[in-house]
């Protein structure tokens, strides 16, 4: 077209720039931009918006801002493109400038439209410290009447954004309040509310809402099923997970790769490794990197180190490059199975052969693996030489390993580093105090407890729970508030007597007393 006598107009240019943005072809985009500057076409608002979008998608957001500054005329879409660029930046160094830009937008008299608000709400949900801005945006929606679009009308996009923002900010009650106000709830509204409950750990509420969704006549889609499956990741909810699996099979969705990955994760965490393996081998026709990582993590969770290593090597043979999550999965399996040499070999290969940057998670697996193998000198040498600064996960892994082998010297060292890094974490002080108490160093115990008291720290008691017939029962340490506590303690006493009579349970008595 350019070689002919036909001159591309604004519509043509904006169309081709949009395609280049989707392809990520920044070189061709700059060539087209240069041609437009020479022809004066870039003065058009729509064309300039297209170039800003191109530069944002290609990771050169500063060029996008340059185009914005040079625009003779702007529309609300121009501001929205820049806002999308700010929120799409992986590095969060421009977060404060985003809100300065929003204020400048308001000073110039521009009113937010639904796209502006939804973009900002998504950002507030992702960056938790800005959730109060999301609350202000909610007020703006109500004041300007934008809420009528999703409360009364069938357009629920803004409503979904509000639910998602409140859910990710751990204000699930406010999210539910928005959901209950929606008169027209489509599958997206139900799905985002279910996902909110799952994110906040309210699994029972998520499952109830999933059932209510079908009672209301709304058909769950693939995303709905993926969202609800994490609520079934426990043994007592395995039956519900199987029902969701059967539902997906009846709808012909059971071969979707993303759903298969979620099913593998659900079955492995529910204790059914065989079902997870069956999904991976027979249902997951098109396997992606997440499929392999999920199955490797499943083997790791069940302590099958050899199975994880074999699958990892098979993945490499299939030409799939490992990422950090995959390597952490297989290293964790090696740590649980005591496969030290294999773990070191896999770590070295990932770093040297596949150019993976060592992360805290990868290094923590190595420390955990060496510590559990009672190779503490080697673990400490690795910590000194590792390319990343040791964090709480590193010293936490060393604490656990030293507790297993009764190495109080290493345990004391690790706890002291943990207290330096997490001075406001009461668990570290309590554990260190217990360590000194076990060696009868009561003067040091008193000092640690005083330090904890001076900081105003208090450890919340441990809690366990069990679900029976859809009702969840919670128990704290030495808890007698449950209506059946008398019967429960009587049964526990009977179990202790039975274990005392059983020679095979010698050594387990103290554990039971601690639990009691």
């Amino acid at each position: 077209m350019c070689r002919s006598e036909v001159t591309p107009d604004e519509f043509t240019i904006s169309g081709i720039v949009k395609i280049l943005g989707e392809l990520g072809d920044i070189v061709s985009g700059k060539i087209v931009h240069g041609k437009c500057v020479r022809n004066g076409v870039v003065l058009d608002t729509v064309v300039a918006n297209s170039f800003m979008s191109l530069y944002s998608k290609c990771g050169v957001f500063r060029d996008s801002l340059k185009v914005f500054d040079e625009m003779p005329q702007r529309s609300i879409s121009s501001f929205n493109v820049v806002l999308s660029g700010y929120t799409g930046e992986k590095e969060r160094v421009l977060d404060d400038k985003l809100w300065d830009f929003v204020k400048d937008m308001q000073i110039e008299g521009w009113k937010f439209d639904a796209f502006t608000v939804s973009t900002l709400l998504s950002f507030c949900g992702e960056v938790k410290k800005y959730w109060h801005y999301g609350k202000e945006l909610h007020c703006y929606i109500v004041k300007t009447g934008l809420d009528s679009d999703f409360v009364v009308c069938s357009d629920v996009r803004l409503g979904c954004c509000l639910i998602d923002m409140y859910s990710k900010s751990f204000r699930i009650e406010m999210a539910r309040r928005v959901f209950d106000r929606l008169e027209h709830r489509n599958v997206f509204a139900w799905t985002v509310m279910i996902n909110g409950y799952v994110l906040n750990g309210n699994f029972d509420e998520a499952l109830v809402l999933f059932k209510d969704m079908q009672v209301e006549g709304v058909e769950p889609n693939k995303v709905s099923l993926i969202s609800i499956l994490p609520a079934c990741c426990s043994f007592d909810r395995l039956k519900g997970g199987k029902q969701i699996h059967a539902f997906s099979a009846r709808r012909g969705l059971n071969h979707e790769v993303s759903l298969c990955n979620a099913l593998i994760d659900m079955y492995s965490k529910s204790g059914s490794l065989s079902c997870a393996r069956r999904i991976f081998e027979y249902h997951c026709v098109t396997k992606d990197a997440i499929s392999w990582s999920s199955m490797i993590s499943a083997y790791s969770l069940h302590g099958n180190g050899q199975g994880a290593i074999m699958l990892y090597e098979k993945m490499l043979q299939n030409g799939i490059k490992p990422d950090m999550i995959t390597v952490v999965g297989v290293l964790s399996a090696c740590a649980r199975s005591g496969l030290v040499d294999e773990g070191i070999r896999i770590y070295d290969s990932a770093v040297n052969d596949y150019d993976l940057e060592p992360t805290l998670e990868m290094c923590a697996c190595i420390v955990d693996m060496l510590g559990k193998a009672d190779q503490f000198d080697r673990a400490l040498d690795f910590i000194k030489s590792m390319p990343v600064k040791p964090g709480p996960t590193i010293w936490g892994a060393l604490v656990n390993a030293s507790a297993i082998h009764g190495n109080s010297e290493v345990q004391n060292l690790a706890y002291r580093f943990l207290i330096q890094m997490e001075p406001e974490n009461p668990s570290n002080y309590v554990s260190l105090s217990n360590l000194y108490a076990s060696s009868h160093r009561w003067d040091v115990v008193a000092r640690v407890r005083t330090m904890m008291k001076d900081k105003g720290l208090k450890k919340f008691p441990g809690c366990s729970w069990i679900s029976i017939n859809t009702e969840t029962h919670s128990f704290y340490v030495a808890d007698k508030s449950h209506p059946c506590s008398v019967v429960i303690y009587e049964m526990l006493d009977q179990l202790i007597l039975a274990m005392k009579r059983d020679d095979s349970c010698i050594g387990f008595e103290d554990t039971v007393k601690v639990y009691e």
Side-chain angles (χ1 to χ4, degrees):
M1 183 179 181
C2 292
R3 292 192 190 101
S4 68
E5 296 179 357
V6 181
T7 303
D9 60 8
E10 292 83 353
F11 183 81
T12 311
I13 296 297
S14 62
I16 195 68
V17 172
K18 181 180 179 182
I19 293 169
L20 292 173
E22 296 296 332
L23 294 172
D25 191 349
I26 185 65
V27 176
S28 299
K30 287 190 173 183
I31 292 172
V32 175
H33 193 180
K35 189 175 183 66
C36 290
V37 170
R38 291 194 299 272
N39 297 340
V41 182
V42 77
L43 299 175
D44 181 78
T45 304
V46 176
V47 173
N49 292 346
S50 300
F51 278 114
M52 286 194 295
S53 178
L54 164 76
Y55 288 131
S56 296
K57 289 177 180 177
C58 294
V60 281
F61 179 59
R62 297 191 184 279
D63 287 347
S64 180
L65 290 175
K66 197 179 297 182
V67 174
F68 178 83
D69 292 336
E70 294 172 357
M71 289 178 69
Q73 288 184 326
R74 297 165 183 155
S75 64
I76 186 65
S77 298
S78 308
F79 286 89
N80 287 339
V81 172
V82 175
L83 287 174
S84 298
Y86 271 118
T87 58
E89 283 287 289
K90 292 181 180 179
E91 301 294 332
R92 302 258 67 102
V93 292
L94 299 176
D95 287 355
D96 293 333
K97 290 187 177 181
L98 163 66
W99 299 111
D100 292 337
F101 181 79
V102 171
K103 291 174 184 175
D104 292 340
M105 181 179 174
Q106 291 178 299
I107 291 171
E108 291 184 24
W110 293 95
K111 290 186 177 181
F112 299 165
D113 61 7
F115 186 88
T116 314
V117 176
S118 61
T119 301
L120 292 173
L121 283 174
S122 298
F123 178 77
C124 293
E126 294 297 332
V127 186
K128 307 295 183 295
K129 65 178 181 178
Y130 293 124
W131 89 271
H132 58 282
Y133 285 140
K135 197 173 182 181
E136 290 181 20
L137 287 166
H138 191 179
C139 295
Y140 178 88
I141 291 170
V142 175
K143 285 169 63 177
T144 56
L146 284 173
D147 60 333
S148 62
D149 290 340
F150 65 85
V151 173
V152 180
C153 304
S154 58
D155 188 357
V156 297
R157 284 176 294 179
L158 270 183
C160 290
C161 289
L162 279 171
I163 294 168
D164 186 60
M165 184 273 295
Y166 281 128
S167 299
K168 289 178 178 176
S169 304
F170 307 112
R171 272 83 184 177
I172 193 66
E173 297 84 5
M174 300 177 78
R176 183 57 191 256
R177 203 177 303 163
V178 174
F179 177 79
D180 289 338
R181 289 192 66 212
L182 299 178
E183 291 187 11
H184 300 276
R185 300 173 191 152
N186 60 14
V187 64
F188 305 109
W190 286 94
T191 300
V192 75
M193 190 66 242
I194 290 169
N195 189 56
Y197 275 129
V198 172
L199 283 175
N200 284 267
N202 299 347
F203 300 137
D204 290 335
E205 288 86 346
L207 290 166
V208 169
L209 198 66
F210 183 73
K211 293 174 183 176
D212 292 343
M213 173 185 183
Q214 296 170 77
V215 171
E216 293 285 334
V218 180
E219 179 84 1
N221 60 14
K222 180 181 71 173
V223 180
S224 309
L225 300 178
I226 293 172
S227 298
I228 192 61
L229 278 172
C232 304
C233 290
S234 62
F235 183 76
D236 60 316
R237 296 192 180 97
L238 179 57
K239 183 179 178 181
K242 287 184 174 182
Q243 290 174 346
I244 294 169
H245 184 189
F247 179 90
S248 68
R250 289 196 301 272
R251 297 298 184 276
L253 299 171
N254 57 317
H255 294 294
E256 292 279 347
V257 62
S258 53
L259 184 61
C260 285
N261 296 342
L263 285 168
I264 292 169
D265 183 66
M266 183 273 295
Y267 278 124
S268 64
K269 290 178 179 176
S270 301
S272 183
L273 182 62
S274 58
C275 288
R277 189 189 298 119
R278 199 176 304 131
I279 295 290
F280 178 80
E281 292 179 354
Y282 301 112
H283 294 274
C284 197
V285 180
T286 307
K287 298 177 178 65
D288 59 8
I290 299 175
S291 308
W292 292 93
S293 297
S294 299
M295 195 62 230
I296 289 170
S297 298
Y299 278 120
S300 171
L301 189 64
H302 289 260
N304 190 338
Q306 291 292 353
I309 292 172
M310 288 175 62
L311 193 64
Y312 178 77
E313 291 175 347
K314 187 177 180 181
M315 182 192 79
L316 299 180
Q317 291 170 6
N318 278 269
I320 297 176
K321 185 179 177 181
D323 58 11
M324 185 270 290
I325 297 173
T326 315
V327 174
V328 167
V330 70
L331 288 179
S332 177
C334 292
R336 294 183 181 188
S337 303
L339 304 173
V340 177
D341 294 337
E342 291 86 344
I344 296 296
R345 175 181 59 80
I346 289 170
Y347 174 82
D348 290 338
S349 173
V351 173
N352 299 322
D353 299 338
Y354 295 97
D355 298 324
L356 280 180
E357 289 289 332
T359 64
L360 270 176
E361 293 82 4
M362 291 167 60
C363 294
C365 287
I366 295 295
V367 172
D368 184 47
M369 180 176 63
L370 293 172
K372 285 179 177 176
D374 200 12
Q375 300 182 22
F376 290 107
D377 291 338
R378 196 174 174 188
L380 290 170
D381 289 339
F382 178 82
I383 293 173
K384 292 176 185 176
S385 63
M386 66 187 212
V388 290
K389 187 178 179 180
T393 53
I394 299 293
W395 297 111
L398 204 60
V399 163
N400 294 332
S402 57
I404 292 172
H405 293 284
N407 192 324
S408 57
E409 183 181 352
V410 174
Q411 197 174 5
N412 182 29
L413 173 70
Y415 269 130
R416 290 191 172 279
F417 275 105
L418 275 177
I419 288 175
Q420 289 178 14
M421 293 179 177
E422 298 178 321
E424 303 302 321
N425 187 346
S427 298
N428 295 332
Y429 294 91
V430 172
S431 300
L432 184 60
S433 173
N434 293 340
L435 174 64
Y436 286 131
S438 64
S439 56
H440 305 290
R441 297 176 64 183
W442 304 113
D443 55 332
V444 187
V445 170
R447 287 204 301 270
V448 173
R449 290 286 179 175
T450 302
M451 189 189 308
M452 187 176 173
K453 186 178 180 180
D454 292 342
K455 290 178 176 288
L457 301 177
K458 185 178 180 182
K459 186 179 183 297
F460 292 101
C463 178
S464 302
W465 60 88
I466 183 172
S467 295
I468 301 173
N469 296 329
T470 71
E471 185 179 357
T472 302
H473 304 266
S474 300
F475 302 92
Y476 289 93
V477 175
D479 188 5
K480 295 185 179 180
S481 61
H482 194 276
C484 299
S485 61
V486 175
V487 179
I488 292 171
Y489 277 101
E490 286 178 357
M491 176 58 72
L492 187 56
D493 290 337
Q494 292 176 23
L495 288 172
I496 293 172
L497 290 173
M499 286 185 285
K500 283 181 177 179
R501 289 194 299 267
D502 190 349
D503 292 337
S504 64
C505 289
I506 291 175
F508 191 69
E509 177 187 342
D510 293 335
T511 305
V512 175
K513 284 183 179 177
V514 170
Y515 180 79
E516 182 184 18

